[in-house]
Amino acid sequence: MLGGVETRSVSPVFVGRADELAVLTDALTRAAGRDPQAMLIGGEAGVGKTRLTEEFLCEADRRGAVVAVGGCVEIGAEGLPFAPFSTALRTLHRLLPGELAAAAAGQEDELARILPELGDTPRGPHDEESTARLFELTARMLERLAADRTVVLVLEDLHWADTSTRHLLSYLFRTLTSGRLVIVATYRADDVHRRHPLRPLLAELDRLRTVHRVELSRFNRAEVRRQLTGILAAQPDEDFVDSVFDRSDGNAFFVEELVACRESGCRTGLTESLRDLLLVRVEVLPDETQRLVRIVAEGGSTVEYPLLRAVAGLTEDELIEALRAAVGANILLATPDGDGYRFRHSLVREAVSDDLLPGERARVNRRYAEAMEADGTLVRAEERVIRLASYWYHANDPAKALPAVLAASVAARRRHAYSEQLRLLERAMDLWDSAPEDVIEALRPADYTEVYPPCGCDPATTALQRLDLLAEATVAARYGGERDRALKITKTALRLLEDDRDPLRAAWFWTERSRLIAGLGRGDGWEEIAKAQDLVRGLPPSQVHAEVLVRAANWGMFHKPGPGNLAAAERAVEYARMVGAAETELNARITVGSLLTDSGDAPGGLAEMHAVRERATELGLTMLAGRAHTNLTSQLESLGRSREAVELAEQGAELVRRSRLMDSEAWVCGNKAESLYSLGRWDEAAEAARRALLVGQSAGPRGCASARLAHLALARGELTEAAHQLAAAHVHFGSHGNRPQPQQRIPLYRLAIGVAAAEGRIADVRTEASAAVAYGFPLGQHRYAWPLLLAAATAEADARGLPAAEAGRDAALDVLRTAARPLATPVPVWTAHAEYVRAELLRAEARDTLADWTAVEKAVRPLERPYLLARACHRLAEALLAAGDREPAAALLREAYATAERIGARTLREDLALLAQRARLPLTDADSAAAPPVPETDPVEALGLTNRERDVLRLVAAGSTNRKIAEELFISPKTASVHVSNILAKLGVASRGEAAALAHRLHLFAAPAPVSPRPEAARPGV
């Protein structure tokens, strides 16, 4: 017998659908090769989705696959959170108990939110990463379960799916990458109208190449004839075929119903109405059976036998007889696990339910609710609360419905089903005004809410307020990704608070509004924080007061660094301690530590953050521990302690990965990539940045990861990739109102300068540099400012001699010098950068000396910055060669070349090779010992250019147009264009400006300007 596969069709012959079945079985074959498959089956109600799925599952069973089916449950408007996944996983738990336990090992508490059989559901933690964490754990569990066997997961009736189910399905379709797994989801296409919540998901899945969509059409006349032959076990009369085909319009289920009507003798009075067609066979059943069918229709997609017995009001013998009649008429079916009943087709259930009178519907729902209240064992524990809420709501009893709906919202929150929690809270607010006063007065915040701090009142004795529900709804909407909805809820709450003077509550909502506005990219959130600060000013210490101060200090740290932020953060710590808000205190202390480090007290700041990291880990506050790791690794990199930063980042990434804190892991991995780049471990840096992009859920860490990849691509000479990643970073960060964070904005300016310089666009270099300087380099941002100024100064020095660069050079250099003077150099790495910037600015004016570059190399040498050192060695070798000192120059060139080769710095490697070629110096020790003297070669010929192309490149480097080149060389403009195209291809560049910059950088047409020694003491400052 086929375990877990329920057969509901009355047609013994499978008709048509050969192509569609082939697509599904092909997916089964591919999945056996460890290539996960995602399938969508759509079609109108009754068209044959279930029958096609049954045939596919039979084939899967024949091939030895493990099959699990789960159906979405239509209960009110909210649905049961994760219902189809819970059902399917419960089947897998029954079929593969040991294997599933092993796949879920170590994460049973979290996964119990979807499969309660794994253990008790924990109360927390709740944050914006909770849902993503649960989804990631589910995906990995399924991959492990399907590692050694083919698993087929079928989710039926996706048009009824709750929001959490839709989001989880989307996540699985996007992220499953291994395992012998097939996920099939069916949906009723005719129900998916323009505003249906499933419609955006279908559009999203259509864009995924990994999702295969199967659309079922109605049968043609020949297929209807074959179906009738199978049902009747005889050739049907052609007139009957015509009649059935006309009436059913090729819908397979309607064909079955029409045949059943004829066979049961209920043709008399049959109308063309669809509902009448579906009801006519119910109406010929015995009266007791009809009443029972109406009760089952209102109970939900499936009704458990014990619950039905309690509600029906029949003796057990009478109930069995009524059920036997309904099953015999093919109206009801026993569920596969044998513990309840369901309609053979949902269309019949809907027709029966719609036929109930309003008072009759309310009475049936009341009986369900009363039965469940009297005996809590009638349904599964995880379903009881939400089904009770639905029954009381549809019983039109606000006194019973309000507490039940609130209890259901708590259950949804505990399962991280925040979208369902939000819908239930909205339903509770709808019931609020109609519920009796004594019922509302008996409700307590401690029982139903947790996000708004007590602030002096006892949540166990204080009456619940509508504002408490609005606070819960705000956070539920934010956690569920519905930030626009959350923003509207805060607006409603603040409007209510205009008449109800409660400054702490108002401040809390303004703080939430600040977070939402910043997250939506509609501003930086400062205006809202300022209002919150005004509201709490002068009030006694409270948790809200402390949270407002932390928010203000964090905003200032990222947007407007200054000493006032440290004072606000320290006051937040003090207030949080006074009111016993441990998490708020630890969060504020992380901010204090970061601000102390930025202000120059590195030992004190690092010690504070390490203490918080240890305490948060000890208390199990992994989110806070993750933030401590993020800030610590960032500050260590700022201090030039990259190796420590990498070690700590690895510890932090492992910690937050175990708890599936996706964004926290992305932040830590992004910081790790930055430090690995500094250490010259570029392949590892790229891997860390790509990991950050993979797991990051929000814009911030993903934008930083793209910026890291852009830096790597730029240093490797991959300009197209660098520009692509820079554009991606801009998209991730967005505008953030008019005040983007300096730690995001300044690196993007630096990248834009690097890309423009590599492409020979010196005017754009100057534009970006001027914009960056005008933007400003606030306190603590020297770590981003020095690399930016170095990139701009290097671009100016490399462009010296280009005609296009002459105009505006002096002004551009003045801008850079002026910006460099006040910048802090608190640790050796930034002192070295300052020395390097000064030397490059002198090189841009042909005033650099051997002493200048010796000082740069000396400052960089002790640092663990191999790429920076290789570049400094390149410049020092140039200066030594100009001074005629070949032996030390050769040693520096070999060292720098080896580094560039090892880390993959292609552009630097090419520059070093050209310099060595011009100086006739070998680049390896082996070449130095064995090779004869290298004859002087023409670097232009070394690039594979012909004499004519040499002439054209010389004019391109001088800024000439094709017409000007044609006039100079007495050729046609078209020929000049062909030569330019050939030159670009041979040089591996994409534009004329990039070719000109390359020619100039490699000194192809002019020797470098002489470098005259100048005493060390005579070196001018920046």
Side-chain angles (χ1 to χ4, degrees):
M1 182 177 177
L2 179 59
V5 178
E6 177 186 3
T7 302
R8 286 176 257 164
S9 174
V10 298
S11 301
V13 177
F14 181 62
V15 177
R17 314 302 188 207
D19 292 341
E20 292 86 350
L21 183 59
V23 170
L24 293 171
T25 53
D26 183 56
L28 199 61
T29 301
R30 290 197 299 272
R34 301 186 183 280
D35 181 14
Q37 299 295 301
M39 312 295 297
L40 284 172
I41 302 176
E44 69 178 14
V47 81
K49 301 182 294 297
T50 299
R51 185 58 190 274
L52 173 63
T53 304
E54 289 171 359
E55 290 294 319
F56 167 62
L57 293 182
C58 287
E59 177 62 25
D61 185 67
R62 280 193 292 270
R63 296 191 186 190
V66 180
V67 172
V69 182
C72 299
V73 180
E74 186 185 28
I75 294 184
E78 64 281 344
L80 280 171
F82 306 117
F85 284 104
S86 297
T87 303
L89 290 174
R90 191 173 291 118
T91 299
L92 293 176
H93 188 256
R94 185 178 69 251
L95 297 175
L96 304 169
E99 294 86 343
L100 191 139
Q107 301 294 343
E108 291 88 349
D109 286 353
E110 279 293 319
L111 289 168
R113 301 181 195 279
I114 289 183
L115 182 58
E117 282 79 356
L118 291 176
D120 294 332
T121 304
R123 293 187 62 85
H126 298 288
D127 50 64
E128 291 186 52
E129 296 188 43
S130 298
T131 303
R133 182 166 61 249
L134 178 60
F135 289 0
E136 173 70 7
L137 288 170
T138 305
R140 301 292 79 80
M141 179 182 70
L142 289 172
E143 285 186 341
R144 287 193 289 269
L145 195 62
D148 302 318
R149 65 192 62 80
T150 301
V151 175
V152 178
L153 208 64
V154 176
L155 310 175
E156 294 187 304
D157 299 325
L158 203 58
H159 49 280
W160 287 332
D162 57 282
T163 305
S164 297
T165 291
R166 293 195 301 271
H167 289 172
L168 176 53
L169 181 65
S170 172
Y171 186 89
L172 294 176
F173 277 3
R174 285 185 287 109
T175 61
L176 286 172
T177 57
S178 65
R180 297 163 58 180
L181 182 66
V182 182
I183 300 181
V184 180
T186 70
Y187 66 95
R188 195 187 287 178
D190 49 330
D191 271 13
V192 185
H193 50 78
R194 182 174 297 178
R195 298 176 65 86
H196 194 285
L198 182 61
R199 195 178 183 93
L201 174 61
L202 294 177
E204 174 192 340
L205 297 180
D206 277 343
R207 293 191 290 270
L208 297 178
R209 295 183 179 180
T210 54
V211 178
H212 305 279
R213 192 162 168 178
V214 177
E215 291 286 347
L216 300 187
S217 58
R218 297 177 180 180
F219 283 162
N220 57 33
R221 186 186 184 282
E223 290 169 327
V224 168
R225 191 178 191 282
R226 287 181 57 202
Q227 184 184 7
L228 290 172
T229 301
I231 296 172
L232 300 172
Q235 291 293 332
D237 180 83
E238 293 301 322
D239 290 339
F240 181 58
V241 174
D242 289 338
S243 173
V244 170
F245 181 65
D246 289 343
R247 283 183 165 183
S248 68
D249 202 16
N251 184 292
F253 176 66
F254 297 160
V255 170
E256 293 178 351
E257 288 298 296
L258 288 166
V259 174
C261 281
R262 189 183 78 159
E263 294 299 305
S264 60
C266 57
R267 288 172 292 171
T268 305
L270 180 62
T271 73
E272 298 297 331
S273 163
L274 170 60
R275 195 178 75 166
D276 287 349
L277 170 64
L278 297 175
L279 290 176
V280 68
R281 288 199 305 117
V282 175
E283 292 170 351
V284 299
L285 294 172
D287 289 345
E288 284 294 349
T289 303
Q290 288 189 49
R291 191 173 72 85
L292 182 67
V293 166
R294 288 194 291 271
I295 291 173
V296 174
E298 199 58 23
S301 300
T302 299
V303 180
E304 297 80 354
Y305 176 76
L307 177 61
L308 191 57
R309 185 175 57 193
V311 173
L314 301 173
T315 66
E316 188 147 17
D317 288 342
E318 292 171 338
L319 178 61
I320 293 296
E321 283 303 311
L323 285 170
R324 188 177 298 280
V327 172
N330 223 5
I331 301 297
L332 297 181
L333 291 175
T335 55
D337 52 13
D339 67 348
Y341 292 86
R342 62 176 294 167
F343 279 82
R344 184 173 75 85
H345 201 287
S346 57
L347 281 175
V348 180
R349 183 177 69 80
E350 291 165 20
V352 173
S353 180
D354 289 345
D355 198 48
L356 292 174
L357 299 172
E360 185 180 14
R361 175 175 287 106
R363 181 168 57 85
V364 171
N365 275 279
R366 173 177 291 277
R367 292 177 67 177
Y368 271 114
E370 289 172 344
M372 287 177 60
E373 281 193 342
D375 185 352
T377 66
L378 295 176
V379 300
R380 294 184 185 277
E382 70 270 15
E383 295 182 10
R384 181 180 180 277
V385 175
I386 196 163
R387 286 177 64 177
L388 189 61
S390 179
Y391 291 143
W392 277 126
Y393 180 79
H394 290 103
N396 298 325
D397 188 339
K400 288 283 194 177
L402 180 58
V405 168
L406 287 172
S409 75
V410 173
R413 180 180 65 222
R414 293 189 67 179
R415 300 186 72 177
H416 291 336
Y418 300 115
S419 295
E420 284 63 49
Q421 180 196 3
L422 174 61
R423 305 294 173 263
L424 288 161
L425 288 167
E426 289 174 332
R427 175 168 285 184
M429 287 185 274
D430 288 341
L431 291 165
W432 191 267
D433 291 333
S434 54
E437 197 66 34
D438 61 320
V439 170
I440 293 177
E441 289 176 357
L443 301 174
R444 295 292 178 264
D447 297 325
Y448 304 113
T449 65
E450 64 177 29
V451 302
Y452 182 74
C455 296
C457 61
D458 183 358
T461 59
T462 306
L464 185 73
Q465 302 180 43
R466 182 190 286 270
L467 284 164
D468 292 313
L469 302 187
L470 288 168
E472 291 293 317
T474 297
V475 176
R478 176 161 60 82
Y479 287 172
E482 300 182 53
R483 288 176 173 169
D484 276 311
R485 179 67 188 131
L487 203 59
K488 292 177 182 176
I489 295 170
T490 62
K491 186 176 182 179
T492 300
L494 289 168
R495 191 181 300 119
L496 287 174
L497 284 163
E498 290 175 0
D499 301 323
D500 182 6
R501 182 62 182 166
D502 189 340
L504 285 179
R505 248 183 224 278
W508 186 90
F509 279 107
W510 279 116
T511 304
E512 279 294 309
R513 195 167 175 82
S514 168
R515 191 197 311 267
L516 291 164
I517 285 173
L520 288 165
R522 297 177 186 171
D524 56 23
W526 175 248
E527 181 181 347
E528 291 73 24
I529 293 173
K531 289 179 179 177
Q533 285 183 299
D534 289 340
L535 285 163
V536 299
R537 189 171 288 116
L539 295 179
S542 66
Q543 185 172 340
V544 169
H545 201 154
E547 289 177 356
V548 169
L549 290 172
V550 173
R551 180 77 181 163
N554 283 340
W555 186 95
M557 180 171 67
F558 291 123
H559 292 271
K560 194 176 181 181
N565 300 319
L566 180 57
E570 289 174 335
R571 196 159 69 255
V573 172
E574 179 186 354
Y575 282 19
R577 280 177 180 162
M578 292 174 68
V579 298
E583 288 190 48
T584 304
E585 178 195 340
L586 291 173
N587 192 28
R589 287 176 61 191
I590 295 173
T591 304
V592 167
S594 299
L595 292 169
L596 283 172
T597 307
D598 285 344
S599 64
D601 183 8
L606 295 178
E608 181 74 344
M609 286 187 282
H610 274 298
V612 172
R613 175 180 64 87
E614 292 169 3
R615 181 60 176 160
T617 304
E618 178 185 330
L619 294 175
L621 301 174
T622 314
M623 177 73 78
L624 279 175
R627 185 181 174 227
H629 277 94
T630 300
N631 286 31
L632 269 169
T633 52
S634 177
Q635 293 294 351
L636 286 169
E637 176 63 23
S638 178
L639 296 169
R641 295 158 63 174
S642 302
R643 190 173 296 278
E644 288 180 63
V646 169
E647 292 172 358
L648 191 62
E650 288 171 348
Q651 297 172 23
E654 178 60 27
L655 174 70
V656 295
R657 189 180 296 126
R658 285 198 301 267
S659 296
R660 293 303 192 273
L661 296 175
M662 316 289 281
D663 267 358
S664 295
E665 183 185 352
W667 280 118
V668 174
C669 285
N671 287 353
K672 179 183 175 183
E674 183 181 16
S675 295
L676 288 168
Y677 174 88
S678 297
L679 294 170
R681 293 157 61 180
W682 287 4
D683 289 341
E684 295 174 73
E687 182 181 350
R690 285 192 290 268
R691 175 67 183 174
L693 268 181
L694 176 66
V695 302
Q697 302 295 303
S698 59
R702 290 175 62 81
C704 287
S706 291
R708 305 281 184 262
L709 290 171
H711 277 290
L712 278 165
L714 187 59
R716 285 172 161 168
E718 301 165 355
L719 296 188
T720 301
E721 175 67 8
H724 167 72
Q725 293 294 349
L726 174 58
H730 275 291
V731 170
H732 287 310
F733 288 137
S735 65
H736 288 277
N738 296 319
R739 296 179 180 176
Q741 295 181 17
Q743 67 171 352
Q744 298 167 352
R745 180 68 266 182
I746 298 172
L748 297 187
Y749 278 128
R750 183 260 177 271
L751 283 168
I753 289 169
V755 172
E759 295 177 349
R761 296 182 282 110
I762 190 63
D764 290 339
V765 168
R766 290 169 181 170
T767 298
E768 294 289 343
S770 296
V773 172
Y775 175 80
F777 304 134
L779 178 68
Q781 303 304 308
H782 55 273
R783 61 179 295 186
Y784 305 115
W786 280 119
L788 181 148
L789 294 177
L790 179 56
T794 302
E796 290 290 349
D798 287 343
R800 178 169 54 83
L802 280 177
E806 293 305 315
R809 178 190 304 282
D810 292 343
L813 296 178
D814 285 343
V815 167
L816 298 179
R817 280 197 172 94
T818 301
R821 285 191 190 102
L823 270 185
T825 54
V827 291
V829 66
W830 307 122
T831 304
H833 271 76
E835 194 73 37
Y836 207 148
V837 169
R838 185 192 61 77
E840 287 289 12
L841 290 173
L842 291 172
R843 185 167 73 94
E845 298 172 322
R847 296 193 299 120
D848 56 324
T849 69
L850 178 58
D852 296 322
W853 292 112
T854 301
V856 172
E857 190 269 348
K858 182 179 179 181
V860 175
R861 175 72 64 178
L863 310 174
E864 281 192 286
R865 294 288 189 276
Y867 180 52
L868 192 66
L869 178 60
R871 291 167 59 195
C873 289
H874 175 212
R875 293 298 170 214
L876 179 55
E878 266 190 332
L880 287 166
L881 288 172
D885 202 349
R886 293 174 55 81
E887 188 173 339
L892 288 168
L893 283 174
R894 285 197 296 272
E895 177 189 352
Y897 187 84
T899 297
E901 183 77 20
R902 175 175 58 82
I903 65 178
R906 190 190 74 188
T907 303
L908 176 60
R909 187 183 69 231
E910 291 171 352
D911 288 353
L912 292 164
L914 254 298
L915 179 59
Q917 184 182 50
R918 288 201 310 272
R920 291 173 292 161
L921 292 172
L923 283 173
T924 66
D925 292 332
D927 291 343
S928 178
V934 180
E936 187 168 0
T937 58
D938 186 344
V940 178
E941 290 181 5
L943 292 171
L945 301 182
T946 66
N947 288 335
R948 175 60 80 188
E949 289 167 348
R950 173 207 302 270
D951 295 335
V952 172
L953 180 56
R954 187 193 310 275
L955 294 169
V956 168
S960 299
T961 63
N962 285 352
R963 183 173 296 279
K964 181 67 174 174
I965 293 170
E967 292 173 357
E968 289 282 337
L969 300 180
F970 302 102
I971 58 177
S972 70
K974 184 176 181 180
T975 302
S977 174
V978 171
H979 282 310
V980 170
S981 298
N982 290 337
I983 290 167
L984 297 184
K986 289 180 178 180
L987 296 183
V989 296
S991 67
R992 300 167 70 95
E994 198 176 337
L998 179 65
H1000 188 73
R1001 195 179 78 240
L1002 300 181
H1003 307 295
L1004 298 182
F1005 302 115
V1011 180
S1012 56
R1014 178 161 22 91
E1016 179 81 15
R1019 290 186 294 131
V1022 172

